[in-house]
Tab-separated table of all heavy atoms in Angstrom:
chain	number	residue	atom	x	y	z
I	318	PRO	N	264.829	192.878	210.061
I	318	PRO	CA	263.389	192.630	209.978
I	318	PRO	C	262.614	193.925	210.360
I	318	PRO	O	262.979	194.600	211.276
I	318	PRO	CB	263.140	191.472	210.956
I	318	PRO	CG	264.275	191.577	211.947
I	318	PRO	CD	265.425	192.080	211.130
I	319	HIS	N	261.588	194.218	209.649
I	319	HIS	CA	260.814	195.424	209.844
I	319	HIS	C	259.795	195.139	210.993
I	319	HIS	O	259.242	193.999	211.143
I	319	HIS	CB	260.026	195.855	208.642
I	319	HIS	CG	260.911	196.426	207.554
I	319	HIS	ND1	260.428	196.838	206.327
I	319	HIS	CD2	262.222	196.643	207.553
I	319	HIS	CE1	261.434	197.293	205.595
I	319	HIS	NE2	262.533	197.130	206.324
I	320	PRO	N	259.415	196.215	211.770
I	320	PRO	CA	258.363	195.978	212.820
I	320	PRO	C	257.088	195.771	212.122
I	320	PRO	O	256.853	196.240	210.987
I	320	PRO	CB	258.432	197.240	213.599
I	320	PRO	CG	259.014	198.295	212.687
I	320	PRO	CD	260.023	197.567	211.832
I	321	LYS	N	256.119	195.174	212.783
I	321	LYS	CA	254.791	194.938	212.237
I	321	LYS	C	254.003	196.279	212.287
I	321	LYS	O	253.847	196.971	213.371
I	321	LYS	CB	254.055	193.932	213.039
I	321	LYS	CG	252.651	193.525	212.486
I	321	LYS	CD	252.088	192.353	213.213
I	321	LYS	CE	250.690	192.094	212.685
I	321	LYS	NZ	250.668	191.709	211.220
I	322	ILE	N	253.470	196.688	211.075
I	322	ILE	CA	252.736	197.985	210.995
I	322	ILE	C	251.293	197.607	210.667
I	322	ILE	O	251.023	196.716	209.816
I	322	ILE	CB	253.374	198.790	209.877
I	322	ILE	CG1	254.842	199.101	210.122
I	322	ILE	CG2	252.535	200.194	209.858
I	322	ILE	CD1	255.173	199.781	211.353
I	323	ASP	N	250.360	198.266	211.347
I	323	ASP	CA	248.964	198.011	211.152
I	323	ASP	C	248.603	198.194	209.593
I	323	ASP	O	249.010	199.220	208.981
I	323	ASP	CB	248.170	199.141	211.859
I	323	ASP	CG	246.659	198.884	211.813
I	323	ASP	OD1	246.148	198.342	210.807
I	323	ASP	OD2	245.908	199.262	212.780
I	324	PRO	N	248.015	197.140	208.952
I	324	PRO	CA	247.739	197.267	207.530
I	324	PRO	C	246.889	198.501	207.092
I	324	PRO	O	247.066	198.960	206.010
I	324	PRO	CB	246.827	195.970	207.323
I	324	PRO	CG	247.390	195.031	208.339
I	324	PRO	CD	247.579	195.907	209.609
I	325	GLN	N	246.079	199.030	208.114
I	325	GLN	CA	245.337	200.240	207.801
I	325	GLN	C	246.220	201.389	207.661
I	325	GLN	O	246.007	202.358	206.832
I	325	GLN	CB	244.173	200.448	208.819
I	325	GLN	CG	243.100	199.532	208.772
I	325	GLN	CD	241.955	199.930	209.753
I	325	GLN	OE1	242.217	200.564	210.722
I	325	GLN	NE2	240.735	199.661	209.378
I	326	VAL	N	247.298	201.405	208.421
I	326	VAL	CA	248.229	202.477	208.376
I	326	VAL	C	249.014	202.429	207.033
I	326	VAL	O	249.198	203.448	206.346
I	326	VAL	CB	249.207	202.427	209.553
I	326	VAL	CG1	250.471	203.401	209.304
I	326	VAL	CG2	248.591	202.774	210.878
I	327	VAL	N	249.395	201.243	206.632
I	327	VAL	CA	250.029	201.090	205.347
I	327	VAL	C	249.129	201.483	204.215
I	327	VAL	O	249.595	202.186	203.292
I	327	VAL	CB	250.462	199.547	205.217
I	327	VAL	CG1	251.038	199.364	203.824
I	327	VAL	CG2	251.501	199.197	206.260
I	328	GLN	N	247.880	201.127	204.322
I	328	GLN	CA	246.956	201.445	203.180
I	328	GLN	C	246.808	202.934	203.079
I	328	GLN	O	246.694	203.540	202.012
I	328	GLN	CB	245.639	200.708	203.417
I	328	GLN	CG	244.588	200.965	202.310
I	328	GLN	CD	245.138	200.442	200.946
I	328	GLN	OE1	245.563	199.277	200.788
I	328	GLN	NE2	245.210	201.334	199.958
I	329	ARG	N	246.672	203.630	204.230
I	329	ARG	CA	246.524	205.063	204.190
I	329	ARG	C	247.723	205.803	203.596
I	329	ARG	O	247.596	206.729	202.806
I	329	ARG	CB	246.260	205.602	205.593
I	329	ARG	CG	244.861	205.282	206.192
I	329	ARG	CD	244.466	206.104	207.404
I	329	ARG	NE	243.174	205.722	207.850
I	329	ARG	CZ	242.510	206.258	208.853
I	329	ARG	NH1	243.113	207.374	209.436
I	329	ARG	NH2	241.341	205.939	209.205
I	330	LEU	N	248.875	205.226	203.895
I	330	LEU	CA	250.105	205.839	203.316
I	330	LEU	C	250.151	205.508	201.746
I	330	LEU	O	250.582	206.317	200.953
I	330	LEU	CB	251.331	205.281	204.022
I	330	LEU	CG	251.580	205.804	205.411
I	330	LEU	CD1	252.714	205.115	206.083
I	330	LEU	CD2	251.781	207.341	205.438
I	331	GLN	N	249.727	204.266	201.378
I	331	GLN	CA	249.733	203.998	199.995
I	331	GLN	C	248.776	204.995	199.269
I	331	GLN	O	249.063	205.481	198.123
I	331	GLN	CB	249.234	202.594	199.742
I	331	GLN	CG	250.183	201.482	200.256
I	331	GLN	CD	251.334	201.190	199.299
I	331	GLN	OE1	251.675	202.051	198.475
I	331	GLN	NE2	251.878	200.034	199.434
I	332	ASP	N	247.647	205.256	199.821
I	332	ASP	CA	246.642	206.179	199.240
I	332	ASP	C	247.250	207.548	199.130
I	332	ASP	O	247.044	208.307	198.152
I	332	ASP	CB	245.406	206.242	200.044
I	332	ASP	CG	244.555	204.992	199.932
I	332	ASP	OD1	244.742	204.203	199.027
I	332	ASP	OD2	243.808	204.755	200.790
I	333	PHE	N	248.040	208.011	200.177
I	333	PHE	CA	248.611	209.295	200.172
I	333	PHE	C	249.676	209.388	199.105
I	333	PHE	O	249.705	210.404	198.422
I	333	PHE	CB	249.227	209.476	201.534
I	333	PHE	CG	250.185	210.728	201.582
I	333	PHE	CD1	249.754	212.038	201.479
I	333	PHE	CD2	251.550	210.540	201.622
I	333	PHE	CE1	250.605	213.094	201.471
I	333	PHE	CE2	252.410	211.599	201.546
I	333	PHE	CZ	251.993	212.878	201.561
I	334	TYR	N	250.520	208.454	198.969
I	334	TYR	CA	251.605	208.527	197.988
I	334	TYR	C	251.164	208.332	196.529
I	334	TYR	O	251.896	208.714	195.662
I	334	TYR	CB	252.696	207.450	198.382
I	334	TYR	CG	253.681	207.846	199.378
I	334	TYR	CD1	253.775	207.090	200.579
I	334	TYR	CD2	254.454	208.957	199.285
I	334	TYR	CE1	254.692	207.453	201.569
I	334	TYR	CE2	255.380	209.321	200.266
I	334	TYR	CZ	255.457	208.515	201.455
I	334	TYR	OH	256.350	208.857	202.413
I	335	ARG	N	250.006	207.700	196.317
I	335	ARG	CA	249.620	207.266	195.005
I	335	ARG	C	249.713	208.394	193.988
I	335	ARG	O	250.324	208.248	192.850
I	335	ARG	CB	248.258	206.623	195.015
I	335	ARG	CG	247.827	206.119	193.634
I	335	ARG	CD	246.566	205.271	193.679
I	335	ARG	NE	246.806	204.051	194.436
I	335	ARG	CZ	246.285	203.784	195.610
I	335	ARG	NH1	245.505	204.690	196.268
I	335	ARG	NH2	246.559	202.674	196.175
I	336	PRO	N	249.123	209.633	194.234
I	336	PRO	CA	249.196	210.639	193.175
I	336	PRO	C	250.571	211.110	192.911
I	336	PRO	O	250.931	211.403	191.746
I	336	PRO	CB	248.322	211.719	193.733
I	336	PRO	CG	248.143	211.409	195.156
I	336	PRO	CD	248.284	209.934	195.327
I	337	PHE	N	251.413	211.138	193.914
I	337	PHE	CA	252.833	211.474	193.764
I	337	PHE	C	253.620	210.459	192.982
I	337	PHE	O	254.502	210.806	192.269
I	337	PHE	CB	253.431	211.850	195.072
I	337	PHE	CG	252.687	212.963	195.812
I	337	PHE	CD1	251.840	212.660	196.813
I	337	PHE	CD2	252.754	214.290	195.423
I	337	PHE	CE1	251.135	213.672	197.457
I	337	PHE	CE2	252.046	215.294	196.002
I	337	PHE	CZ	251.256	214.964	197.052
I	338	ASN	N	253.345	209.216	193.278
I	338	ASN	CA	253.967	208.124	192.544
I	338	ASN	C	253.609	208.205	191.062
I	338	ASN	O	254.501	208.094	190.184
I	338	ASN	CB	253.549	206.726	193.037
I	338	ASN	CG	254.059	206.412	194.430
I	338	ASN	OD1	254.984	207.044	194.925
I	338	ASN	ND2	253.444	205.453	195.072
I	339	LEU	N	252.305	208.373	190.721
I	339	LEU	CA	251.898	208.513	189.346
I	339	LEU	C	252.487	209.682	188.607
I	339	LEU	O	252.951	209.601	187.434
I	339	LEU	CB	250.404	208.557	189.366
I	339	LEU	CG	249.644	207.285	189.787
I	339	LEU	CD1	248.126	207.504	189.963
I	339	LEU	CD2	249.887	206.092	188.815
I	340	LYS	N	252.640	210.792	189.371
I	340	LYS	CA	253.393	211.927	188.769
I	340	LYS	C	254.811	211.607	188.542
I	340	LYS	O	255.366	211.981	187.471
I	340	LYS	CB	253.242	213.148	189.726
I	340	LYS	CG	253.982	214.382	189.235
I	340	LYS	CD	253.374	214.974	188.076
I	340	LYS	CE	254.122	216.258	187.668
I	340	LYS	NZ	253.562	216.915	186.402
I	341	PHE	N	255.429	210.830	189.408
I	341	PHE	CA	256.881	210.464	189.333
I	341	PHE	C	257.007	209.527	188.080
I	341	PHE	O	257.958	209.662	187.282
I	341	PHE	CB	257.268	209.770	190.585
I	341	PHE	CG	258.829	209.408	190.574
I	341	PHE	CD1	259.779	210.381	190.517
I	341	PHE	CD2	259.142	208.040	190.628
I	341	PHE	CE1	261.062	210.040	190.587
I	341	PHE	CE2	260.518	207.683	190.650
I	341	PHE	CZ	261.492	208.722	190.546
I	342	TYR	N	256.045	208.596	187.891
I	342	TYR	CA	256.054	207.689	186.707
I	342	TYR	C	256.050	208.585	185.442
I	342	TYR	O	256.754	208.304	184.472
I	342	TYR	CB	254.903	206.740	186.650
I	342	TYR	CG	254.833	205.826	187.877
I	342	TYR	CD1	253.636	205.096	188.042
I	342	TYR	CD2	255.760	205.642	188.787
I	342	TYR	CE1	253.466	204.203	189.112
I	342	TYR	CE2	255.625	204.706	189.878
I	342	TYR	CZ	254.478	204.032	190.014
I	342	TYR	OH	254.314	203.227	191.089
I	343	GLN	N	255.176	209.584	185.473
I	343	GLN	CA	254.998	210.425	184.278
I	343	GLN	C	256.314	211.219	184.036
I	343	GLN	O	256.712	211.311	182.842
I	343	GLN	CB	253.808	211.405	184.570
I	343	GLN	CG	253.349	212.153	183.387
I	343	GLN	CD	252.232	213.148	183.784
I	343	GLN	OE1	252.016	213.365	184.969
I	343	GLN	NE2	251.458	213.538	182.768
I	344	MET	N	256.975	211.744	185.074
I	344	MET	CA	258.099	212.536	184.845
I	344	MET	C	259.273	211.687	184.356
I	344	MET	O	260.091	212.159	183.595
I	344	MET	CB	258.488	213.218	186.196
I	344	MET	CG	257.476	214.169	186.708
I	344	MET	SD	257.759	214.664	188.445
I	344	MET	CE	259.031	215.971	188.178
I	345	THR	N	259.385	210.473	184.817
I	345	THR	CA	260.534	209.576	184.461
I	345	THR	C	260.337	208.751	183.289
I	345	THR	O	261.256	208.183	182.706
I	345	THR	CB	260.928	208.780	185.714
I	345	THR	OG1	259.843	207.831	185.967
I	345	THR	CG2	261.238	209.562	186.953
I	346	GLY	N	259.099	208.545	182.914
I	346	GLY	CA	258.737	207.663	181.819
I	346	GLY	C	258.874	206.141	182.206
I	346	GLY	O	258.933	205.264	181.415
I	347	GLN	N	258.831	205.917	183.582
I	347	GLN	CA	258.896	204.517	184.062
I	347	GLN	C	257.823	204.233	185.078
I	347	GLN	O	257.543	205.107	185.923
I	347	GLN	CB	260.269	204.290	184.790
I	347	GLN	CG	261.473	204.303	183.915
I	347	GLN	CD	262.774	204.070	184.725
I	347	GLN	OE1	263.670	204.880	184.645
I	347	GLN	NE2	262.813	203.048	185.530
Side-chain angles (χ1 to χ4, degrees):
H319 289 178
K321 185 174 177 60
I322 308 295
D323 186 329
Q325 287 190 330
V326 169
V327 173
Q328 185 60 55
R329 288 195 180 188
L330 289 174
Q331 292 281 21
D332 291 341
F333 165 74
Y334 279 119
R335 184 170 294 110
F337 301 103
N338 291 345
L339 293 170
K340 177 67 175 180
F341 184 65
Y342 300 169
Q343 190 181 18
M344 296 169 83
T345 63
Q347 292 179 236

